[in-house]
Amino acid sequence: VAAGAVGVAPIGVGVDQELISAVPSHNPTFVARNYTDAEVAYCSAQPSPSSSFAARWAGKEAVFKSLGVKSKGAGASLREIEILNDPETGAPTVTLHGAAKAQAEAKGVGKILISLSHSETVAIAFAQAAKSS
Amino acid sequence: VAAGAVGVAPIGVGVDQELISAVPSHNPTFVARNYTDAEVAYCSAQPSPSSSFAARWAGKEAVFKSLGVKSKGAGASLREIEILNDPETGAPTVTLHGAAKAQAEAKGVGKILISLSHSETVAIAFAQAAKSS
Amino acid sequence: VAAGAVGVAPIGVGVDQELISAVPSHNPTFVARNYTDAEVAYCSAQPSPSSSFAARWAGKEAVFKSLGVKSKGAGASLREIEILNDPETGAPTVTLHGAAKAQAEAKGVGKILISLSHSETVAIAFAQAAKSS
């Protein structure tokens, strides 16, 4: 009778890589369209803002892929996928807003796990969308 | 009373990267040995077929790793790990055939999640093998 | 009574990449501080020891991220995150020791899945920390 019911189960994964030089984080229109104010504040305060913006960009793409939803054109804007760092541990965490949130809820996604990494030139990200029980 | 019974649990992960230029997708023998007809049709129709073949190659290797089975020599051919795109969402999906399917079933793998990414030069893939409850 | 009880549920993910040339595996002090004797024996016996040391380094960082714990300074040493290969399948497996083990247990982590990959120049790793039911 399901004593050991488990909290979450994976329902989608996403991986993405971006050349840091290819993410136009010096373009205010690009930044305003794709990042929340809190993300901009965080990235701008990092030792290498362009690396942080690129890692988050890869993260947003990875989250988008993990949701397994249709085209971005018709769906969520990447600004609605917000990646901030836990003030306690420094680990990145995902919060969805607007249409992205609605699409995730429609698919039963209760939690999204994320990890980011960047070298001097490349940012990569991995996301896992999990179902809450 | 199993109210919140959960669908799947992770039992293995796999990551792989390939230089796009190192995957000999222009070689018909290599392609015929490692890709299904449907995969060939899909990759050939993409804007950059060599990138698509390489991303699938990384995906097949990642799936193989996620299964945690013995050597490829003794086991599954990569042609038996088929990665096609959901016509609805465009998201890649995994179907196993032959020995790969038998090995996965023997390990209790009920589902494999996959994500692919490529830059101009490098393809990366992540796979997760999950158990069905 | 828990017929379909599921083994594990994801509670954290970690991804990391390292330039192989940037991991000082020729430095005995670095190696002794960060790798166990069994890891050193394994990596030294591989065709490209520097690639193996770098892949394990990426793996240790990915495991660390998957645990979502505080700073390394205050916490686990990477030597306490041991990555060895299953003698049967060759697949990498994670064993935690000391403070790393205690931190994982405190977070309810029962299992960590890992996968490693390296090209000529770059090592990448993915880790997933899962809860046991």
Side-chain angles (χ1 to χ4, degrees), chain C residues 1-85:
Chain C
V1 215
V6 165
V8 288
I11 59 176
V13 295
V15 66
D16 195 61
Q17 62 182 337
E18 302 289 341
L19 276 173
I20 293 170
S21 62
V23 176
S25 58
H26 45 80
N27 177 336
T29 304
F30 172 80
V31 169
R33 192 171 55 231
N34 291 296
Y35 298 84
T36 68
D37 292 350
E39 288 178 320
V40 173
Y42 175 85
C43 292
S44 301
Q46 295 308 298
S48 169
S50 64
S51 301
S52 296
F53 277 112
R56 250 159 192 74
W57 181 259
K60 288 164 183 267
E61 290 280 2
V63 169
F64 182 82
K65 290 179 178 181
S66 78
L67 294 175
V69 294
K70 219 163 178 171
S71 81
K72 268 173 284 186
S77 136
L78 290 189
R79 196 176 189 276
E80 296 177 334
I81 299 170
E82 185 176 41
I83 303 175
L84 295 173
N85 290 66

Side-chain angles (χ1 to χ4, degrees), chain A residues 8-94:
Chain A
V8 288
I11 59 177
V13 295
V15 67
D16 195 62
Q17 63 183 334
E18 302 290 340
L19 276 173
I20 293 170
S21 62
V23 176
S25 57
H26 45 79
N27 178 335
T29 304
F30 171 80
V31 168
R33 192 172 54 233
N34 291 297
Y35 299 84
T36 67
D37 292 349
E39 289 178 319
V40 173
Y42 176 85
C43 292
S44 301
Q46 295 307 298
S48 168
S50 63
S51 300
S52 297
F53 277 112
R56 250 158 192 75
W57 180 258
K60 289 164 182 267
E61 290 280 2
V63 169
F64 182 81
K65 290 179 178 182
S66 77
L67 294 175
V69 293
K70 220 163 178 171
S71 81
K72 266 173 285 186
S77 136
L78 290 189
R79 196 175 189 277
E80 296 177 334
I81 299 171
E82 184 177 41
I83 303 175
L84 295 172
N85 290 67
D86 184 297
E88 183 73 24
T89 65
T93 58
V94 178

Side-chain angles (χ1 to χ4, degrees), chain A residues 1-10 88-89 91 111 113-120 122-128 130, chain C residues 1-3 5-17 19 65 68-71 107 124 126 128-129 131-133:
Chain A
V1 213
V6 165
V8 288
E88 183 73 24
T89 65
K111 185 168 194 176
L113 302 172
I114 183 97
S115 184
L116 311 176
S117 172
H118 60 79
S119 66
E120 293 285 311
V122 178
I124 62 175
F126 174 75
Q128 171 154 50
Chain C
V1 215
V6 165
V8 288
I11 59 176
V13 295
V15 66
D16 195 61
Q17 62 182 337
L19 276 173
K65 290 179 178 181
V69 294
K70 219 163 178 171
S71 81
K107 298 201 75 166
I124 62 175
F126 174 76
Q128 171 146 49
K131 187 173 294 221
S132 290
S133 66

